[in-house]
Amino acid sequence: MNFLQRAGRHKYVVFGIAGAITGAYCYTNHVPVLGIARMGSTVATVAYVFADYKITLYGVDSTSDRYRELKSKVHTRAASRLRNLCCLHGGVYIKAGQHIGALDYLLPDEYVQTMKVLHDDAPKSQLNDVIKVIEEDFGKPASEIFKYIEDKPMGAASLAQVHRCVLHDGTEVAVKVQHRNVKAFSDSDVKCMEFLCNVAARLFPEFKFKWLVEETKKNLPKELDFIQEGHNADKVAEMFKHFSFLKIPKIYWNWTTDRVLTMEICCGGRIDDLEYFQKNKINVKEVSQMLGKLYSEMIFVKGFIHCDPHPGNLLVRKSIANGKTEIILLDHGLYQKLTDDFRISYCRLWQSLIKADLDGVKKYCIELNAGQMYPLLACIISGRSWNSIMGGISNKSINAAEIEEIAGIASEFLPDITELLQRIPRQMLLILKTNDLLKGIESTLKAKNNKQSLITMSKCCIRAMANYDLENCSGLLNKIKIWFDFIILRLKLQFYGISN
């Protein structure tokens, strides 16, 4: 029997087993008819992807250039099939695809680039379905709530879309309406993903993607609850009111339910729209610094992080009141709350990375359960090569050669990366996603300032550590020492910023 015959037989066996397992699973779990169809197409797609990997790479030397070339091609084919599946089913599938598309430096570039389009090209609901959701939730005709609903959505995402509307008192608002069937299918879709990941783990023990399913299971109910999203928006507006450049849309609670969120309409240009920056005379470097301040404060000081900062959720504009530049932060459905112990360990890890304290890097990476893979975790967190970390990431900015090296690591060490992502605390996963989205924005803005961003991070780190130590120490002398050390460190940072 030649190779093609073996390959063909292998592929059909996979499909046969997949079909039998799908039927058995759906029967025992009482999956509804539409759920069976969705799961069937999902299993077929995933089976095809697995077969493609097995057949294409069969018998090829894994150390050869041909193997790397073939693997890149099969990565691209697999990513395209999975993206098409996400677009077909929408909802949870789009959300999972977007998560993958946000993981630069963690997953092969073929997957990341293919899935990134899902941030900007999510399927849209028909206006009739939007109106049905509004009427189901409020128990009255939509015309009694809104004087006007614009047909075309302002934006569409995985779980909802936003329409410009006018209340009967003339107030113009933005109304976020959940896609009608997302909640109905969410449970069976997540179970399907979990089931397939378990099957994949048996067929391919080296690839561990259980973490993605666990994160989806944990976070999806939060993102489907628009009441919670409204509370998050109010909380963040209060928490960061000292940042005059930050604008959070006001929530109209009388016209908000768990599937309909009515808020102040805030217009601006996307943070990656350089033409808008130029046209409105907005300073790119200033915006980059504002974003760095905001997220450093969120992560290191407050421990309450907006975890979906893709360009569609970050707008910029000149303030109507004073003409100063503002950042508008949208979509408050997903936040990560850090425990104090984790937050302070993460601060100490970053301080070790900045100072090239390799003993500290090892210690705090191991505290994050990295074990002997601590160099890999350090590279993932910092977005820098191990050579740069050893030399001090504050001493040299990243260049094109290093970016290419990091991209190669993501492909070459994929099994190790998936193992590491399975190990580390769940709090870290959304931070990594957030970091990668922010790096993407920084790259688009072409405003990389290694020195300034590290100074901003360091200021937040040492303030967070000082506050933590003050809260957990006793005795006036100890408190004075902590304050003295804090002032010395701030002065050193100030001097570093002036002298470099």
Side-chain angles (χ1 to χ4, degrees), residues 37 46 50 62 171 217-218 224 265 275 316 320 398:
V46 173
F50 286 159
S62 61
T171 304
K217 283 175 68 175
K218 181 184 76 174
L224 289 173
I265 194 162
E275 186 177 332
V316 292
I320 300 170
I398 192 168

Side-chain angles (χ1 to χ4, degrees), residues 175-198:
V175 182
K176 181 176 179 179
V177 182
Q178 199 169 108
H179 296 310
R180 193 164 182 231
N181 291 320
V182 164
K183 194 168 284 188
F185 285 124
S186 62
D187 186 53
S188 59
D189 285 348
V190 171
K191 284 181 179 177
C192 177
M193 289 172 58
E194 184 174 28
F195 169 68
L196 289 172
C197 276
N198 289 333

Side-chain angles (χ1 to χ4, degrees), residues 243-255:
F243 285 143
S244 59
F245 62 79
L246 179 63
K247 174 64 180 176
I248 307 293
K250 171 188 171 184
I251 305 301
Y252 289 85
W253 285 107
N254 287 341
W255 309 117

Side-chain angles (χ1 to χ4, degrees), residues 67-315:
Y67 182 88
R68 283 187 286 274
E69 180 185 342
L70 288 173
K71 187 166 71 169
S72 177
K73 289 180 178 179
V74 77
H75 279 339
T76 301
R77 290 197 299 270
S80 295
R81 290 189 183 107
L82 292 173
R83 180 199 60 208
N84 293 341
L85 178 72
C86 291
C87 291
L88 175 65
H89 292 323
V92 177
Y93 287 82
I94 294 279
K95 180 59 64 176
Q98 288 175 340
H99 197 124
I100 291 170
L103 296 176
D104 278 310
Y105 311 109
L106 292 180
L107 297 176
D109 193 56
E110 295 88 348
Y111 277 91
V112 173
Q113 296 306 320
T114 301
M115 293 298 184
K116 269 185 177 178
V117 300
L118 295 176
H119 282 296
D120 302 317
D121 195 24
K124 298 175 180 64
S125 293
Q126 296 295 318
L127 183 61
N128 285 343
D129 286 330
V130 170
I131 290 172
K132 282 178 184 177
V133 171
I134 293 171
E135 294 181 342
E136 287 170 359
D137 276 28
F138 287 103
K140 62 176 73 173
S143 59
E144 291 185 17
I145 304 168
F146 301 111
K147 183 178 180 180
Y148 169 76
I149 301 175
E150 195 166 274
D151 292 359
K152 185 179 178 181
M154 299 170 66
S158 56
L159 306 180
Q161 62 192 49
V162 179
H163 287 260
R164 186 189 301 266
C165 300
V166 179
L167 297 173
H168 281 281
D169 65 1
T171 304
E172 194 173 11
V173 292
V175 182
K176 181 176 179 179
V177 182
Q178 199 169 108
H179 296 310
R180 193 164 182 231
N181 291 320
V182 164
K183 194 168 284 188
F185 285 124
S186 62
D187 186 53
S188 59
D189 285 348
V190 171
K191 284 181 179 177
C192 177
M193 289 172 58
E194 184 174 28
F195 169 68
L196 289 172
C197 276
N198 289 333
V199 172
R202 291 181 178 275
L203 293 174
F204 301 91
E206 68 273 23
F207 295 108
K208 298 176 175 66
F209 284 95
K210 190 177 178 182
W211 56 270
L212 180 58
V213 178
E214 289 174 351
E215 284 301 290
T216 303
K217 283 175 68 175
K218 181 184 76 174
N219 295 323
L220 187 62
K222 300 176 186 176
E223 295 188 82
L224 289 173
D225 183 356
F226 288 180
I227 297 288
Q228 182 59 49
E229 179 173 346
H231 287 309
N232 286 342
D234 285 349
K235 180 177 180 177
V236 169
E238 176 64 25
M239 186 180 285
F240 298 101
K241 63 184 179 183
H242 56 288
F243 285 143
S244 59
F245 62 79
L246 179 63
K247 174 64 180 176
I248 307 293
K250 171 188 171 184
I251 305 301
Y252 289 85
W253 285 107
N254 287 341
W255 309 117
T256 292
T257 69
D258 63 345
R259 293 194 300 168
V260 179
L261 180 64
T262 302
M263 54 197 151
E264 174 187 7
I265 194 162
C266 295
C267 298
R270 283 171 52 121
I271 201 166
D272 61 349
D273 187 349
L274 295 178
E275 186 177 332
Y276 179 89
F277 276 71
Q278 188 174 15
K279 182 179 178 181
N280 290 274
K281 298 180 180 178
I282 294 173
N283 188 307
V284 173
K285 184 178 178 181
E286 181 187 12
V287 170
S288 181
Q289 289 175 353
M290 287 175 175
L291 195 60
K293 284 181 183 178
L294 174 61
Y295 270 87
S296 291
E297 185 93 1
M298 281 184 172
I299 294 169
F300 299 114
V301 180
K302 302 297 186 182
F304 192 65
I305 311 161
H306 180 286
C307 291
D308 203 11
H310 68 79
N313 287 336
L314 286 161
L315 307 181

Side-chain angles (χ1 to χ4, degrees), residues 14-33:
V14 170
F15 278 116
I17 294 173
I21 293 174
T22 301
Y25 176 85
C26 293
Y27 177 78
T28 56
N29 288 274
H30 307 290
V31 176
V33 174

